[in-house]
Amino acid sequence: MAMVIVTSILVIFVTLVLKVGYDTISCYWLTPMRIRKTMEKQGVNGPKPSFLIGNIREVASLVSTAVSQDMKTISHDIVARIMPHFVVWSNQYGKRFLYWNGTEPRLCLTDTALIKEFLSKYNSISGKSWQQQQGNKHFIGKGLLMVNGKDWHHQRHMVAPAFMGERLKGYAAHMVECTKDMLQSLQNSLESGESEVDIGECLTELTADIISRTEFGTSYKKGKQIFFLLTQLQSRCAQATRHLFLPGSRFFPSKYNREIKSLKKEVEKLLMEIIKGREECVEKGRNNSYGNDLLCILLDEMKKESGNLNLQLVMDECKTFFFAGHETTALLLTWTVMLLATNPHWQNKVRAQVKEILKGETPSLDKLSKLTLLHMVINESMRLYPPATVFPRMVFKDIELGDLHIPKGLSIWIPVLAIHHSKELWGEDANEFNPERFASKSFIPGRFIPFGSGPRNCVGQSFAMMEAKIILAMLISQFSFTISQSYKHAPVVVLTIKPKYGVQVCLKHLDP
């Protein structure tokens, strides 16, 4: 009997070892070879990948060289600086080429018709790859940005009410009050003799304050603590993802991994305190619901659907919306102010329309839609400096896309920045600031995609646009601003496009 048990255990052990061995070989060699041969037969080639690391080394070298030199003038021709590998390889291999992010194959796709078809038609069988999910596991976990298939559909359905109708309107008051505080702070700085400010820092603090209030309501002070911790966590996770191509790298006892786990623990401790506080109030009958902020909507929807709370999922969604709702909007505002500061003609035009429509009052939702010039300027800012430089989506089944057969396991790499700066799509002035191009509503499908496209577009885009318009309208009503001589134009990428040295502007308070 004992012999039978031992033999059974050995058989199970050997089977598991063989399976793990085969899965590893398949992941790191067989599948990549299959995909590469499939694409080569269709005439799609690219730089030769190295074992395990793919083309990571070439990308890192090209980017390092490109960003090591600061730009001598304020130029928006930044594709070669931010995505030098795209420029080199598209010139060498054409508009379609294959390159490797470690063992993950990526097909560069710039054909706007195929991009529109892919994003609208294949949402259910494409999504975030294993590498992307692992790279963000400790940052935003299994929040909406990182899940696929049925999980994505379920979570999108759960969070969508937070960004619709009356809920969306309810956030406007928070945005106005927080912006008033920032404007008063700027006025105080001017009165104390400081005319130059890093507007990026001011806008980052402002959007952190707004998302803290709209997401956590009365617990916004803890929300601001979470913001600072998440900023550090984002940076550490970005550094750790560089080593994901190494098998088991996420388990290494490295400095990054230790710091990541420590920061994640602190963030989730604060989030749990807020959630538990809401639960206690409901259980003791002090409140009928969890509140009226973003967190309450998550808790109410989850309780309604399943009857119990998945606390880890709630925390992951909170972190997701804190990141997406804060950083991308802060950068959108920062780049827009920089563009208006260097284009006083447009600043004056926007200010004149804002004054005409608002008549000295704070922005109301019914009047925001009438600020057409501001809307054009914001769109042009997102075209030149999009919130996301690329959209990578892996296909989980073989698909047919135009004249291409896309095999399972291949990521479609959509270079948003390059598409937004394409002279073929936008004309010879593609690298110039020209909001007039958005005066017409006739767009080539797929050429302007700052928030993505199709079912998986950004669920919070209405929130972001409303916030940007309120803040910019209030700022431009009270202050004029010019770019400081100390400003150095040096866009860099850390997940999003950021100004390396900040954006310094000289402020002047306008007479009432």
Side-chain angles (χ1 to χ4, degrees):
M1 184 65 180
M3 191 66 179
V4 172
I5 293 172
V6 170
T7 303
S8 299
I9 292 172
L10 284 172
V11 168
I12 293 169
F13 177 74
V14 170
T15 302
L16 286 173
V17 169
L18 289 173
K19 185 180 186 308
V20 170
Y22 176 78
D23 289 346
T24 302
I25 293 170
S26 177
C27 174
Y28 290 100
W29 188 57
L30 295 179
T31 298
M33 285 293 291
R34 172 182 60 81
I35 291 173
R36 187 177 179 185
K37 287 180 179 179
T38 300
M39 299 313 295
E40 282 178 350
K41 287 178 183 177
Q42 300 177 80
V44 179
N45 298 292
K48 185 178 179 181
S50 300
F51 182 63
L52 286 183
I53 63 174
N55 303 113
I56 288 177
R57 195 158 42 199
E58 296 99 307
V59 172
S61 175
L62 288 166
V63 171
S64 176
T65 301
V67 301
S68 63
Q69 300 177 351
D70 293 335
M71 301 175 75
K72 295 179 180 178
T73 60
I74 298 177
S75 167
H76 311 307
D77 186 2
I78 60 171
V79 178
R81 174 184 174 85
I82 301 294
M83 301 170 65
H85 48 299
F86 167 82
V87 175
V88 171
W89 292 333
S90 61
N91 286 335
Q92 189 172 353
Y93 301 105
K95 291 184 177 180
R96 300 170 177 176
F97 62 83
L98 191 70
Y99 87 106
W100 299 77
N101 188 56
T103 57
E104 181 184 302
R106 292 183 172 179
L107 169 67
C108 175
L109 193 65
T110 57
D111 185 313
T112 55
L114 294 187
I115 289 170
K116 183 188 177 189
E117 179 186 350
F118 176 67
L119 293 178
S120 60
K121 188 176 177 181
Y122 293 109
N123 175 63
S124 62
I125 56 171
S126 68
K128 303 298 182 180
S129 68
W130 178 87
Q131 276 191 10
Q132 287 176 282
Q133 291 179 328
Q134 286 300 320
N136 290 282
K137 181 179 179 181
H138 296 297
F139 179 39
I140 53 179
K142 293 183 178 180
L144 184 62
L145 285 178
M146 284 298 137
V147 291
N148 299 317
K150 291 180 179 178
D151 288 337
W152 174 85
H153 188 271
H154 168 72
Q155 287 172 227
R156 174 83 175 209
H157 177 74
M158 187 173 69
V159 303
F163 301 98
M164 296 168 64
E166 292 303 314
R167 292 280 191 180
L168 191 61
K169 292 179 183 178
Y171 304 139
H174 290 306
M175 295 173 183
V176 168
E177 288 306 310
C178 292
T179 305
K180 282 181 179 178
D181 291 342
M182 183 199 74
L183 296 177
Q184 184 59 54
S185 177
L186 291 176
Q187 176 63 16
N188 294 342
S189 295
L190 284 180
E191 290 173 357
S192 65
E194 298 176 24
S195 61
E196 181 181 307
V197 298
D198 185 336
I199 200 67
E201 289 183 1
C202 298
L203 293 169
T204 297
E205 289 181 16
L206 171 58
T207 54
D209 196 13
I210 289 172
I211 197 65
S212 295
R213 289 176 188 271
T214 53
E215 186 163 340
F216 300 115
T218 53
S219 306
Y220 78 94
K221 288 184 179 178
K222 278 187 180 177
K224 293 184 80 170
Q225 288 179 268
I226 292 168
F227 154 67
F228 290 114
L229 291 170
L230 274 180
T231 303
Q232 295 175 53
L233 184 57
Q234 175 196 357
S235 175
R236 300 297 185 278
C237 288
Q239 292 166 325
T241 54
R242 299 171 189 170
H243 310 292
L244 271 177
F245 62 87
L246 293 171
S249 65
R250 61 193 190 280
F251 303 116
F252 292 172
S254 64
K255 179 185 175 183
Y256 291 142
N257 285 344
R258 288 196 302 271
E259 289 180 350
I260 285 169
K261 288 179 181 177
S262 175
L263 286 167
K264 179 176 183 278
K265 188 175 180 180
E266 286 186 68
V267 168
E268 295 193 346
K269 179 174 177 281
L270 288 170
L271 283 170
M272 190 65 77
E273 287 175 6
I274 296 172
I275 294 167
K276 287 293 185 184
R278 299 288 180 88
E279 281 192 289
E280 285 178 13
C281 286
V282 172
E283 287 171 4
K284 292 177 180 178
R286 293 178 196 160
N287 296 320
N288 295 324
S289 74
Y290 294 102
N292 58 2
D293 47 40
L294 276 169
L295 175 58
C296 107
I297 294 168
L298 286 173
L299 295 171
D300 282 338
E301 289 294 320
M302 192 172 287
K303 198 85 170 180
K304 192 189 304 178
E305 288 191 11
S306 61
N308 52 50
L309 297 178
N310 181 336
L311 295 180
Q312 186 61 54
L313 180 56
V314 172
M315 289 191 290
D316 287 348
E317 294 294 12
C318 284
K319 289 184 285 182
T320 295
F321 287 111
F322 213 100
F323 163 70
H326 153 255
E327 181 173 66
T328 52
T329 309
L331 289 169
L332 162 60
L333 289 163
T334 300
W335 289 121
T336 305
V337 170
M338 185 277 290
L339 290 165
L340 288 172
T342 50
N343 292 273
H345 171 64
W346 270 100
Q347 185 181 151
N348 291 333
K349 283 178 69 173
V350 171
R351 181 178 294 110
Q353 189 183 63
V354 167
K355 286 187 174 181
E356 179 188 350
I357 291 171
L358 298 187
K359 293 180 171 49
E361 299 177 355
T362 54
S364 58
L365 291 186
D366 61 312
K367 291 182 179 179
L368 287 182
S369 61
K370 298 176 182 177
L371 300 176
T372 53
L373 294 178
L374 181 57
H375 187 78
M376 287 158 56
V377 166
I378 291 172
N379 276 349
E380 182 69 343
S381 175
M382 290 192 292
R383 186 186 71 82
L384 292 170
Y385 299 90
T389 55
V390 297
F391 291 145
R393 300 274 175 83
M394 178 173 280
V395 296
F396 306 127
K397 291 183 180 179
D398 290 5
I399 65 169
E400 304 301 320
L401 188 63
D403 60 333
L404 287 173
H405 172 74
I406 309 295
K408 173 185 176 182
L410 176 62
S411 279
I412 304 293
W413 187 64
I414 302 169
V416 179
L417 182 67
I419 292 168
H420 281 192
H421 285 253
S422 168
K423 291 183 178 180
E424 184 180 336
L425 296 172
W426 296 94
E428 287 302 311
D429 68 342
N431 292 312
E432 296 173 20
F433 177 71
N434 177 20
E436 286 289 351
R437 71 180 86 246
F438 286 97
S440 169
K441 294 183 179 180
S442 58
F443 289 154
I444 298 172
R447 76 168 181 168
F448 184 61
I449 44 176
F451 294 112
S453 179
R456 196 158 180 155
N457 64 356
C458 175
V459 70
Q461 60 183 291
S462 297
F463 180 98
M465 288 298 287
M466 180 175 76
E467 182 178 6
K469 287 180 181 179
I470 287 173
I471 293 169
L472 290 168
M474 292 178 69
L475 175 66
I476 211 166
S477 295
Q478 291 196 31
F479 296 93
S480 64
F481 38 91
T482 54
I483 204 72
S484 169
Q485 290 185 348
S486 61
Y487 172 65
K488 293 181 182 178
H489 192 58
V492 293
V493 168
V494 184
L495 295 182
T496 49
I497 304 178
K498 299 182 177 182
K500 186 177 180 180
Y501 305 111
V503 173
Q504 296 77 29
V505 296
C506 297
L507 292 173
K508 181 181 178 183
H509 193 266
L510 299 171
D511 292 329

